[in-house]
Structures are given as structure tokens and as C-alpha cells.
């Protein structure tokens, strides 16, 4: 009797381990950045829903790929009714939703924000692991590194100085994804010079005194948001007329995916234009 019970328990454990080793069949993403990593790596039919932002071309670099999939709004009730066996979320996803999903025995993997190349590679590998797509993740990283190497030419002479300036006067330093894009393109960053390596509010007066070679402005959106008023200030417009100016394409700057290389390429072209002169 004892031997038979032991055999049954062993079979149960074995079945549980086998089930745990199987890749998830129904994966739901509730974050714009995990949407895109999952879209790049998931097997056909494995990803059953992405966030509502994923199909918005003003935010997502993969709007076309996301459009055919059902959208979710990060609500516990709608996610539960979709019956996922894995939810992938970001560090800024609702912690209350994540806790409720876990209480409902729905596994949730939370991905940290990517602030540098190491973070991008780590999240690609992690997404590959949780989806059971390790080989695909390795291939994606190899392509990313190969494409990056084509943009990594050393800048001759002194590096030009760039300033990132977005809504509410926010600027990003080197401890941010936007700051990494600036550095990879061959620029020094005004925010680092002014003591904002992780980013912060940069007073317009300090920006004007810093006198950057390139002004990288945040994108303006339709509407009457007061946060955008500073971007219309006459002094900033005068600086933009006197200096080279680039406007961020948000889908390429927001998430730590291989699409940041489009932003790096844009900034690299701006640097080469500066160095070639009129």
C-alpha cells in the first residue's frame, strides 16, 4: 500500500514538473514595452492580447503587428476572462492588478525598465525564457548587436553637445534610455554636465546658458496640455532657430527594444551633419 501510494505521488509530481516545463500557451501582455518584446519573440498564436497602446502608432513601434490582437486595458476582470496562463507586465504596471491576478493563481512576470543596453539584452533573454523561446531571443540579440555595430563609428574630434528637452522642461541624462541613445550616437549630454544623470527638470535659463550644439525636443501632441507650453516659449524657439533641432519619434525612444537603433541612426545623422558643417 505504501509503495503504491509512493508511486502515485511520484506520478503526480512528475506530471506537475512536466506541466511547469511546458511553454505557456496563452500569454497576455499589459504593458507597451512587454507588448513589443512578446510580439518579437512569441510563437504563432501564443500571444493572445496586448495593451491598448500597442496598436497606437504614436506610442508603439509595432502598431501594425499589434493591430490584429485583442487589446486589454490592464483591468483584472478583463484579463481574468481572457484566461491567460501567463501575464507579462512592466515595472509601471498597476501593482494592485498584479496582486489580484496572483491571488487568482495567474502567473505574472514583471519586467524592469530598460535604462541601458545591458537592460535591453537582459529583458530580451528573460522574455525568451518565460515564453520558452530562448533560441529566438538569442537570435534577436545577435541581430541587435550586429545592427548596433554598424552605427558605432567613433566621432572624430570633440563630441558635439546635445540637450534633450521635453514636456515640463524634462531632460534625460546618461542613466536613462534616452541618454543612452544620445551617447551611442556620439554626443555629450547637457543634462550630465548640469548634474542630472538620471534626468530631471531643466530650467529654460540653464538650457540657454548651456548653449548646446543640438536641441532634441519632445514631441508635441494635439490638445491644450499645460506641460507643453514651455516648448512654445519664444526663447526656446529662438534657440531652435539658431541651433540644429531634432524632434523625438516617441515609438523609437520609449521602450528598450531593438527599435531604439532607429533613434540612434536619426541622432547619428544629426551629428554627422553638424560635423560636416554648412
Amino acid at each position: 500500500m505504501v509503495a503504491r501510494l509512493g508511486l502515485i505521488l511520484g506520478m503526480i509530481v512528475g506530471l506537475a514538473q512536466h506541466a511547469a516545463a511546458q511553454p505557456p500557451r496563452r500569454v497576455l501582455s499589459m504593458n507597451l514595452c512587454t507588448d513589443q518584446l512578446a510580439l518579437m519573440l512569441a510563437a504563432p498564436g501564443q500571444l493572445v492580447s496586448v495593451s491598448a497602446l500597442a496598436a497606437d502608432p504614436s506610442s508603439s513601434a509595432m502598431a501594425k503587428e499589434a493591430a490584429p490582437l485583442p487589446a486589454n486595458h490592464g483591468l483584472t476582470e478583463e484579463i481574468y476572462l481572457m484566461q491567460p496562463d501567463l501575464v507579462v507586465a512592466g515595472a509601471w504596471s498597476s501593482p494592485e492588478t498584479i496582486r489580484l491576478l496572483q491571488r487568482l493563481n495567474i502567473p505574472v512576470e514583471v519586467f524592469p525598465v530598460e535604462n541601458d543596453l545591458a537592460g535591453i539584452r537582459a529583458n530580451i533573454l528573460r522574455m525568451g525564457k518565460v515564453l520558452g523561446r530562448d533560441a529566438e531571443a538569442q537570435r534577436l540579440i545577435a541581430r541587435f548587436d550586429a545592427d548596433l555595430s554598424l552605427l558605432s563609428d567613433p566621432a572624430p574630434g570633440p563630441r558635439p553637445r546635445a540637450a534633450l528637452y521635453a514636456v515640463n522642461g524634462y531632460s534625460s541624462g546618461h542613466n536613462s534610455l534616452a541618454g543612452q541613445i544620445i551617447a551611442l550616437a556620439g554626443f555629450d549630454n547637457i543634462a550630465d554636465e548640469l548634474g542630472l544623470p538620471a534626468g530631471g527638470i531643466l530650467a529654460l535659463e540653464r538650457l540657454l546658458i548651456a548653449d548646446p550644439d543640438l536641441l532634441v525636443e519632445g514631441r508635441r501632441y494635439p490638445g491644450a496640455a499645460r506641460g507643453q507650453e514651455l516648448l512654445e516659449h519664444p526663447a526656446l524657439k529662438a534657440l531652435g532657430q539658431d541651433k540644429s533641432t531634432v524632434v523625438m519619434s516617441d515609438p523609437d525612444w520609449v521602450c528598450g527594444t531593438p527599435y531604439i537603433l532607429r533613434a540612434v541612426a536619426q541622432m547619428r545623422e544629426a551629428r554627422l551633419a553638424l560635423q560636416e558643417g554648412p
Side-chain angles (χ1 to χ4, degrees):
M1 183 67 179
V2 173
R4 185 178 178 184
L5 181 59
L7 178 61
I8 293 172
L9 289 173
M11 291 175 63
I12 292 172
V13 171
L15 288 171
Q17 290 174 339
H18 176 74
Q22 295 299 305
R25 298 178 62 185
R26 293 182 58 80
V27 179
L28 179 148
S29 171
M30 55 182 287
N31 170 266
L32 175 63
C33 298
T34 56
D35 291 337
Q36 294 173 75
L37 289 177
L39 282 165
M40 291 177 188
L41 294 172
Q46 188 179 27
L47 186 60
V48 298
S49 177
V50 290
S51 78
L53 289 175
D56 181 356
S58 68
S59 303
S60 172
M62 299 187 71
K64 183 178 179 180
E65 293 84 350
L69 290 170
N72 70 79
H73 302 82
L75 302 176
T76 306
E77 297 86 346
E78 65 174 345
I79 292 174
Y80 180 76
L81 290 174
M82 289 181 179
Q83 298 184 312
D85 50 16
L86 175 67
V87 172
V88 290
W92 300 112
S93 298
S94 166
E96 183 60 30
T97 297
I98 292 170
R99 284 193 295 268
L100 287 171
L101 291 171
Q102 291 170 334
R103 288 177 61 184
L104 292 167
N105 295 318
I106 297 176
V108 181
E109 289 283 342
V110 180
F111 286 68
V113 175
E114 309 92 341
N115 289 324
D116 54 25
L117 295 181
I120 293 173
R121 295 188 186 99
N123 273 356
I124 291 173
L125 288 174
R126 185 178 176 195
M127 185 63 77
K129 182 176 180 61
V130 302
L131 297 181
R133 305 277 286 175
D134 298 274
E136 288 76 11
Q138 292 285 358
R139 285 196 287 270
L140 182 58
I141 288 176
R143 290 198 302 272
F144 174 64
D145 288 340
D147 291 342
L148 176 62
S149 69
L150 299 177
L151 300 172
S152 300
D153 59 316
R159 288 162 61 98
R161 298 159 63 247
L164 292 155
Y165 210 62
V167 172
N168 289 318
Y170 191 87
S171 189
S172 301
H174 72 273
N175 290 336
S176 68
L177 189 60
Q180 291 287 302
I181 290 170
I182 291 292
L184 287 168
F187 286 94
D188 287 336
N189 194 332
I190 291 293
D192 296 331
E193 295 179 16
L194 300 179
L196 297 172
I201 301 300
L202 177 59
L204 180 56
E205 294 83 358
R206 298 186 73 193
L207 172 65
L208 298 174
I209 292 171
D211 193 29
D213 300 303
L214 179 73
L215 179 63
V216 185
E217 292 188 343
R219 181 177 173 181
R220 294 163 175 80
Y221 288 87
R226 295 191 63 183
Q228 293 187 161
E229 290 179 357
L230 187 60
L231 298 180
E232 304 301 328
H233 194 285
L236 186 63
K237 287 189 173 183
L239 178 65
Q241 291 173 355
D242 187 49
K243 302 289 182 180
S244 296
T245 304
V246 171
V247 177
M248 295 183 201
S249 173
D250 287 354
D252 299 334
W253 289 74
V254 171
C255 292
T257 75
Y259 284 100
I260 71 159
L261 296 184
R262 296 198 303 203
V264 175
Q266 178 193 25
M267 296 303 303
R268 177 178 176 271
E269 289 177 6
R271 170 178 58 82
L272 293 175
L274 278 173
Q275 292 173 329
E276 289 170 1

